Amino acid sequence: MGRTSDARERLVAAGTELFSERAYSSVGVAEIAARAGVQKGSFYYFFPSKEALALAVIDAHWVWQRGEWTAILARPGTALERLRGIFDATAQMQTSALRGTGAVTGCLFGNLALEVSSINPSLQTRLQEIFEEQVQIIAEHLTAAVDDGEIELVDARMAAKSIVAQLEGLVLFAKLFNDPGELDALWGNSLRLMGIALPAGQPAPL
């Protein structure tokens, strides 16, 4: 089995890489095991199926991403400045992916949601939970911005849902066109969803 102490972690890391690079349906257990440096038979010691690994990949990626978001939202500054940090980090990650691999990889959650959520209830449910958590995180900080007098909103949760949706949509565009520049509109669009109108041609503030 090789280095059994970290074999599971290497399988999760390999799954994360492969599911980010290609369609979930095109990745096999043998390839995942090979990428992880683990024998194929040993894969099933840790995971009964590729679906079980995918759930572990989703959970591990959310632990990482949620930690990144938490750190960004704990920075000094206004609520809106901290929110913008999330979008800047998203754009930077896609730019780094393009530089490192030659391709914008998109969002792991979004990629899986588009491909497997309608045919795999377990993955669908877990992805729904994660997107709901994302909406809640954004909603809480929009509420903080309202409390601080930065913005006026009637329904912070609905605005947060729209912001998360356009974030996912522009990340999808960045992947489709292999161009992180598609994400340049993220913050301006988000401000509009918060009810902050920008004059034509004026760059988004902050």
Side-chain angles (χ1 to χ4, degrees):
M1 192 182 300
R3 293 172 288 161
T4 57
S5 61
D6 67 346
R8 186 185 187 281
E9 288 74 17
R10 286 186 285 125
L11 285 166
V12 171
T16 302
E17 292 173 1
L18 289 167
F19 297 152
S20 297
E21 295 168 3
R22 300 210 316 274
Y24 173 82
S25 60
S26 72
V27 178
V29 168
E31 184 178 9
I32 296 168
R35 176 73 69 94
V38 174
Q39 294 180 6
K40 180 180 178 181
S42 299
F43 174 97
Y44 295 102
Y45 176 83
F46 298 100
F47 301 102
S49 64
K50 185 174 77 168
E51 175 186 319
L53 171 67
L55 286 168
V57 165
I58 290 169
D59 286 343
H61 191 66
W62 178 229
V63 167
W64 172 80
Q65 188 182 84
R66 185 173 54 202
E68 291 289 301
W69 283 25
T70 299
I72 290 169
L73 294 174
R75 293 173 181 171
T78 68
L80 288 185
E81 288 170 343
R82 294 193 298 271
L83 279 174
R84 183 171 185 175
I86 289 178
F87 306 138
D88 290 344
T90 299
Q92 184 178 10
M93 185 169 66
Q94 300 304 325
T95 299
S96 297
L98 179 63
R99 289 174 180 168
T101 67
V104 173
T105 56
C107 170
L108 176 66
F109 303 138
N111 295 345
L112 289 172
L114 287 172
E115 183 183 2
V116 305
S117 64
S118 63
I119 59 175
N120 190 305
S122 296
L123 296 182
Q124 181 184 46
T125 297
R126 187 66 188 112
L127 290 167
Q128 287 173 348
E129 292 170 348
I130 287 171
F131 281 121
E132 285 292 337
E133 286 189 64
Q134 290 185 356
V135 169
Q136 182 61 28
I137 289 170
I138 299 297
E140 289 174 357
H141 282 77
L142 290 180
T143 299
V146 171
D147 293 342
D148 291 343
E150 295 182 65
I151 59 174
E152 295 181 4
L153 284 175
V154 174
D155 190 335
R157 179 170 178 78
M158 184 55 67
K161 194 169 187 177
S162 297
I163 288 170
V164 171
Q166 73 97 21
L167 172 62
E168 284 296 317
L170 286 181
V171 170
L172 174 62
F173 269 34
K175 180 177 180 179
L176 177 64
F177 293 100
N178 202 36
D179 179 13
E182 293 289 333
L183 298 170
D184 291 347
L186 262 177
W187 184 237
N189 288 350
S190 295
L191 289 175
R192 293 181 182 92
L193 290 170
M194 294 179 227
I196 302 174
L198 299 175
Q202 178 177 320
L206 299 181

